[in-house]
Each structure stands twice: as C-alpha cells, then as structure tokens.
C-alpha cells in the first residue's frame, strides 16, 4: 500500500521505513508536527520535538514531499484509553487532534494513501492515539518495531546501515559529552546503563532522543555544519541537554555505498517452532468430516435469552431472535444488540461495560457486514471477542453471549485494562474485527480468539499449513498476555480450540502435549462450521492474574472486627476426574484461582452414553447425585454465573435433552439457574477423550 511516514527525525521512525519497504509498501509523503513558532522544544507526551530544524532535510533526503503542522493542543486525555468506549470521536483540545488534522491534510493531497508508518516500540500511549486517528481516517498503522527487543533493535539498526546520533540526553548516566555520538559509538554505554539502572537501550523511557543522518532509503546524507549544545537543566541525577542545529546540508550518496543488512524477525519463536515441528513429525490423520451430512438437524434443543449478576459480573446469554425473510443481517445484528443493551441496562450498565463477547454466525459470508454494524456500537477499547460460524436453527443468523463487569469509581476505566492493537507489525495480528485483543478486569484476562495469521501481512500462511496455524495461534495468545501482564504472573484457566475440521483434533492435541502454557487450564477442542478468513484453528483463552482479595491475617484485629482485604498472590488448583453411572460416562476438569469457596475459575463437565448404549432415568439421577458429592467442583457448582453448552449435532437431540438436567442438578438451586448459551458443534473433544455428546463450560 502507499503510505505516509510520520517523521520525528529519530532512529525509530526512519528504521521503520526500511521494514515498510521490506513488506512491499510504497512511501509517497512525510508528515511531522512541530512546536508553534517561537518555541524550540515542548515537553510533549506524544511527540518528539527536539531536532525539528532538521526535519526538512530528512524529507529531502527521502525525496518525498513534507507536510507540517503545529502542536496546538496539550495532553488533555492522559489515561490508557483515548476517546470514549461508545464513539470514535476524539478529545477536544488534545494534542492528538493536531495529528488528525495533519493526516487529514495529507490524505486530501494524496487520496490514494492507505497507511501510516509509526516508529513506536513500547509506548502504548503513542500507539493508542495514532491508531485512534488512523481508524477515523480509514488508514492502517504500519508499526513493525512494536514489542521488539530493544537490544536486538539497536544492533539491527546499526547493522542495517542506520547512521543516527544522540541529539538529546535526559537519562541517568548520560551527559553532554554523549551528544552527537553515533548509535554504534553509544551502544556499549547504553547496554551498560541498562544493566546498571534498567535504562531503555532504545530510549523508550525518554533517556535520549536521536537524529538520523543517513539510512539506506535516503537519497542524500545529512551533514550537520553548525550545532550548539543547549543545557535545559543540570541536575546531579541526570542532565537534560540537547543539540540545537543551526545549519546543515545534504551530501550526495555514492552509488557504490554498500547497503546494510536488514534483519526480519522469525515468524515463530523457538518454543512455537518446536510445536510446529512436533505436529509435522507426528503426521496425525487429518481426515475430513465431508462425508457427514449436516443438512438435516434437529434444532429443538435451545435455551432462552437470560441474564444473571453475581458480584460485579453480569452474564447475558443466548441473545438471538427469529427474523423475517425480508429483514437484513444488519437488522438482525442491530436488534440483537438492542436486546443486549436492554439486559445490561437492567443492571444500570451499558455496552461500555462489556468485557467479552462470543459472536456466533450462521454463515461466515456475513462476517464483514456483521462487523460493520457491530463496530457502530463500540468506540475505544471494545470488548474481547471470539467469532465462529455454527449450525444455527433456520431463521437465526446471529447468536451472542456477553460477560460484563460493573466497574466502580468515577472513571469507567479505573478497574479495566484493554489492549486494542490495530497496527500491522511482526508481533501479533492487528484486529480483523472491532474488538480488543485482550481485556483485563476483576483479576481475569479475556483473550480474543486468535487465528494463525502472519502478523506483518494479516494473511494466513501460503501454502496452507495446519501446523503453522496452530503454532501461530498459540504464540499470538501468549504474546498478548505478555503485553498486558502488569506486575502479575498469572495462569491460563480456559483454552478453547475452535476447529474447522474434526480431523484436526489430533494435531492440536499434539501441540498441547508439547506446550507448557495450558497445564493448569481446562482444555476443550470444538469443531464448528467455519472460522473467520477460512482459518483452520482459533484459540480462545481466559487467564487469571494469580491474585485475589483476601482478608488480612493480622492479630491486631478483634474477633468481631471486619478485616481489611489485601490483594495477594494465590496458587492455582487444577483437578480432574471421571464418573460412570450405569450407561452414562462423565468427565470433569476444573481450574480454580485458589483454594477458597469464592475462588474464580472455569469447569468442564463432559457427558456421553457409554458405547452408545441406552441409559435410564436412574442413571441420570445417580449421575446428578455423584456430581454434587465431588468436593473439587463445589466452588464452580455453588457460584456458577455463566454456562456455554456445547452439543454434538450428530447426537440424538432427545437423548441429550434428558441428560443435561444431570449437569444442571449439581448447581446450587438457591442461586437460580445460570444463563446458558447453546453452541451446536460438529465434534467435541478434551485432551484425554474424543467425541463427547454434550459439554458444559461453566464460569464461576
């Protein structure tokens, strides 16, 4: 695509251009924001303003037109989110809106521009705001340095032939003597300061700023002919000083100049490459379900739309409606969301409180049209989401379930952290739908369904490779967890692997055997109609932070005095077992945050008739009583607030309807039946066994 470069003049914004070119994009213009006339430098939250006198030379060296704008606003919105969760509007008076005006001007003069190059490495603050602007202008962020190792990046920049100098210092251990020194000269010092003080090697903590004098994309080299050192502040802890460029010139580059080597990170990290290799070596039987007919299904098994609140959590399940033949898919999605809004409003909540949504479609052909309507209901930091196509009943094209969290405090994002990355990078896929990659709230982390896309291109591997897609889906989920992890270690509680073909079950099981990340989680493998983009596998994950609010154990408290709650690290508990009741076989596994009646967790209860034999009402009753007696399941059965009920569409519906009560009978009747979403599935397996008739995935 054609793109515009956001230029600060620094090493990161220029190095990202090399990766844009490597990925086939065409640079057609540059853009930069500067302090208003009379101000040499600003302490901006968003922009590098030092070295602005040289930006004209950088654009000329790149041989592209430069568009300039003034920084008129300030950092009005300084939080982790920008804008609101209910609309895509910006924030009046914020300096981010100056970027919107600048890029809108560039797009006016270059209507064929589709992308924006951004040199962000770690700054969520910068990325969120640039992406917000790009979304409003229908532009794609190209951010190939995002989440890269800073040590590796600095070495790669030098190896690629980047010539950049320090133009500002503001970090411990850096002084005026380091101004004007090159990256190659400074690398040993920067590594040493990282070892001593944890300073960012690439200056991501504001330790220093740089100016690029040459880069393989430059047609000319920048030569500084007159500079002076300006000391902004001289503290014992750290000097803040910068170079004022008074004069410079461009020097033609020789055609004999040898280009440097551009390093592209491997698609898979070592552990996930090992997973991929293990699948290929095992060569499981990837049979197809094409011989099985799904045209004549009994749709009598279903549950109504229902809602439940437990503590701060609210579950709304099985949101759907029967539409007439003349109603469009857009009408149906809108009506479903209106139902969801009404259900949440009954608890004084809005869609902005949504944490995770499961979106089930009758046909993935409707994916783009559904997304267009779906997006209109959300703004900044939408909920995480999984989307798959199911064998839904005739006349129903959309089914939704939702978990919401009643945030307290005056700020809507006081307890909620969302990761909504929309940039193309080497890290993990940008959104292909209007959802966040992850939402953390109430000590739970919900990861959106991850398919095996190549992040840099947002395409599936070609030629198609099941092993690569499985490894990528696992890597994507783990990389997302790493970015949002904030002072907690955490553990996966639930991993659902959605499959486009039941013949892929063995390959996923092999991957799970090699992978260490799901050891204390419940694991479910479900074959469905189709997945987004025709993917072969989609991994959906729920993680617990490994922390819980626990009463402080302090002898100073009186026996009758209410103890203070303290957030403490807790130890996860994973247990599993089986029950046989006559001709019924039940398998259960549960993952709980810690050993406590009010623990948070997920539980699988899987049922089938043994050897397809008939079972009696007595078998069902016996199973229910045995289920209630299992101590490990009590936290789940007593505090369940949401159930996803997976049912094998090949099984006899009447038989399934009669054994579901065996599962439900184990729940705490005094608290009412939890909301249930019905998920017709083509094949259901756990890590240890295949072909279950019905599986209930219970969240407590």
């Amino acid at each position: 695509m054609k793109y515009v470069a956001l230029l600060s003049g620094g090493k990161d914004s220029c190095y990202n251009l090399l990766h844009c070119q490597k990925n086939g994009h065409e640079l057609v213009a540059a853009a930069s924001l500067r302090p208003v006339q009379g101000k040499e430098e600003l302490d901006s939250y968003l922009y590098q303003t030092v070295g602005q006198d040289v930006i004209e030379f950088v654009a000329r060296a790149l041989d592209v037109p430069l568009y300039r704008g003034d920084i008129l606003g300030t950092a009005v919105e300084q939080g982790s989110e920008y804008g609101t969760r209910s609309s895509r509007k910006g924030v009046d008076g914020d300096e981010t809106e100056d970027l919107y005006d600048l890029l809108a001007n560039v797009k006016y003069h270059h209507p064929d521009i589709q992308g924006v190059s951004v040199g962000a490495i770690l700054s969520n603050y910068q990325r969120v705001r640039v992406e917000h602007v790009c979304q409003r202008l229908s532009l794609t962020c190209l951010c190939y340095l995002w989440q890269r190792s800073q040590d590796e990046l600095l070495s790669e920049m030098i190896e690629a032939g980047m010539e950049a100098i320090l133009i500002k210092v503001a970090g411990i251990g850096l002084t005026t003597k380091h101004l004007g020194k090159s990256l190659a000269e400074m690398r040993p010092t920067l590594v040493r300061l990282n070892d001593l003080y944890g300073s960012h090697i690439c200056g991501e903590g504001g330790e220093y700023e740089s100016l690029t004098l040459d880069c393989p994309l430059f047609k000319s080299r920048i030569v500084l002919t007159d500079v002076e050192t300006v000391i902004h502040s001289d503290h014992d802890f750290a000097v803040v000083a910068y170079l004022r460029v008074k004069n410079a010139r461009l020097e033609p580059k020789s055609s004999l100049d040898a280009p440097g080597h551009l390093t592209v990170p491997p698609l898979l990290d070592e552990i996930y490459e090992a997973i991929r290799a293990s699948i290929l070596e095992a060569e499981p039987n990837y049979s197809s379900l094409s011989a099985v007919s799904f045209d004549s299904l009994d749709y009598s098994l279903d549950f109504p739309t229902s809602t439940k609140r437990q503590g701060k959590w609210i579950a709304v399940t099985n949101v759907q409606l029967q539409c007439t033949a003349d109603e469009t898919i857009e009408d149906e999605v809108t009506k479903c969301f209106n139902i969801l809004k009404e259900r949440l409003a009954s608890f004084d909540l809005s869609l902005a409180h949504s944490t995770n949504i499961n979106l089930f479609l009758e046909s993935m052909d409707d994916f783009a049209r559904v997304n267009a309507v779906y997006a209109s209901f959300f703004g900044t930091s939408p909920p995480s989401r999984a989307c798959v196509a199911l064998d839904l009943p005739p006349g129903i094209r959309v089914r939704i379930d939702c978990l919401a969290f009643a945030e307290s405090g005056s700020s809507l994002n006081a307890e909620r952290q969302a990761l909504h990355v929309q940039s193309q990078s080497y890290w993990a896929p940008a959104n292909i739908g209007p959802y966040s990659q992850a939402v953390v709230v109430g000590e739970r982390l919900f990861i959106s369904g991850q398919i095996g896309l190549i992040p840099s291109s947002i395409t599936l591997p070609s030629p198609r490779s099941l092993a690569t897609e499985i490894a990528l889906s696992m890597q994507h989920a783990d990389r997302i967890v790493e970015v949002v992890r904030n002072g907690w270690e955490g553990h996966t509680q639930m991993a659902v692997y959605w499959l486009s073909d039941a013949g892929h079950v063995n390959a996923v099981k092999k991957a799970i055997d090699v992978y260490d990340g799901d050891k204390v989680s419940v694991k479910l493998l479900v074959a469905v109609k189709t997945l987004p983009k025709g993917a072969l596998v989609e991994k959906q994950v729920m993680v617990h932070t490994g922390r819980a609010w626990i009463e402080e154990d302090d002898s100073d408290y009186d026996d009758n005095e209410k103890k203070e709650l303290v957030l403490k690290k807790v130890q996860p508990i994973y247990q599993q077992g089986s029950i046989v009741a006559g001709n019924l076989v039940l398998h259960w596994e549960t993952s709980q945050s810690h050993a406590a009646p009010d623990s948070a967790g997920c539980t699988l209860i899987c049922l089938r008739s043994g050897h397809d034999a008939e079972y009696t009402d007595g078998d069902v009753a016996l199973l229910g009583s045995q289920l209630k007696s299992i101590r490990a399941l009590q936290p789940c059965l007593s505090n369940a607030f949401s159930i996803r009920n997976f049912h094998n569409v090949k099984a006899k519906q009447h038989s399934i309807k009669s054994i579901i009560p065996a599962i439900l009978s184990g729940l705490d009747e005094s608290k009412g039946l939890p909301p249930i979403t019905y998920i017709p599935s083509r094949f259901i397996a756990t890590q240890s066994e295949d072909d279950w008739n019905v599986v209930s995935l219970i969240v407590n």
Side-chain angles (χ1 to χ4, degrees), residues 252-495:
K253 293 171 67 172
S254 169
S255 59
L256 299 178
D257 288 350
H261 172 71
L262 182 65
T263 300
V264 175
L267 178 62
L268 292 168
D269 291 340
E270 186 175 341
I271 182 175
Y272 306 100
E273 182 57 49
I275 290 172
R276 176 181 176 275
S278 70
I279 298 171
L280 293 174
E281 288 171 6
E283 295 184 352
N285 177 25
Y286 302 149
S287 61
S288 173
L289 280 179
S290 57
V292 180
S293 173
F294 296 98
D295 295 330
S296 301
L297 299 176
D298 179 0
Y299 297 99
S300 60
L301 180 61
D302 215 337
F303 297 93
T305 300
S306 54
T307 312
K308 182 178 182 179
R309 176 166 186 164
Q310 185 150 304
K312 290 187 174 183
W313 290 100
I314 296 90
V316 185
T317 62
N318 235 56
V319 178
Q320 63 185 38
L321 56 112
Q322 195 90 22
C323 286
T324 60
D326 60 343
E327 288 182 293
T328 66
I329 186 69
E330 289 84 358
D331 295 332
E332 189 170 345
V333 175
T334 300
K335 289 181 178 181
C336 284
F337 268 96
N338 286 337
I339 294 172
L340 179 56
K341 287 168 67 176
E342 291 173 2
R343 293 296 181 121
L344 291 174
S346 67
F347 299 99
D348 295 323
L349 302 179
S350 68
L351 287 175
H353 293 88
S354 302
T355 298
N356 182 77
I357 287 178
N358 292 306
L359 177 64
F360 305 115
L361 304 179
E362 190 278 329
S363 173
M364 203 53 73
D365 293 340
D366 294 325
F367 185 77
R369 294 172 64 188
V370 169
N371 266 341
V373 180
Y374 186 106
S376 68
F377 288 94
F378 299 101
T380 297
S381 303
S384 58
R385 189 185 82 181
C387 179
V388 301
L390 303 177
D391 296 289
L392 294 176
I396 294 177
R397 292 170 292 184
V398 179
R399 178 174 289 168
I400 295 171
D401 72 42
C402 172
L403 289 180
F405 188 83
E407 298 164 66
S408 58
S410 57
S411 175
L412 193 58
N413 62 354
E415 300 176 66
R416 184 183 192 264
Q417 175 193 358
L419 181 70
H420 187 203
V421 179
Q422 303 167 74
S423 300
Q424 285 186 209
S425 68
Y426 298 118
W427 168 70
N431 304 79
I432 61 171
Y435 56 88
S436 294
Q437 277 90 348
V439 173
V440 187
V441 70
E443 303 306 323
R444 281 184 166 109
L445 166 62
F446 296 86
I447 304 288
S448 289
Q450 297 298 310
I451 62 176
L453 293 172
I454 298 172
S456 59
S457 61
I458 318 297
T459 58
L460 290 165
S462 180
R464 297 300 296 274
S465 168
L466 175 62
T468 303
E469 287 192 38
I470 293 172
L472 279 170
S473 69
M474 289 178 155
Q475 177 174 276
H476 297 337
D478 285 352
R479 285 184 172 181
I480 290 168
V481 173
E482 285 301 314
V483 171
V484 298
R485 183 176 280 133
N486 183 19
W488 48 266
E489 184 175 345
H491 56 273
T492 301
Q493 287 192 321
M494 176 204 78

Side-chain angles (χ1 to χ4, degrees), residues 23-68:
N23 284 276
H25 306 303
E26 179 186 352
L27 176 64
V28 297
S32 184
L33 285 162
R34 61 191 170 195
V36 295
Q37 190 171 3
K39 292 188 177 181
E40 190 170 10
E41 193 201 0
L42 291 176
D43 189 16
S44 169
Y45 279 59
L46 188 56
Y47 309 114
Q48 174 179 322
T49 56
V50 68
Q52 285 293 312
D53 296 332
V54 197
I55 290 293
E56 298 279 353
F57 288 94
V58 175
R60 286 166 55 191
L62 287 167
D63 195 24
V64 294
L66 174 66
Y67 294 84
R68 305 298 299 269

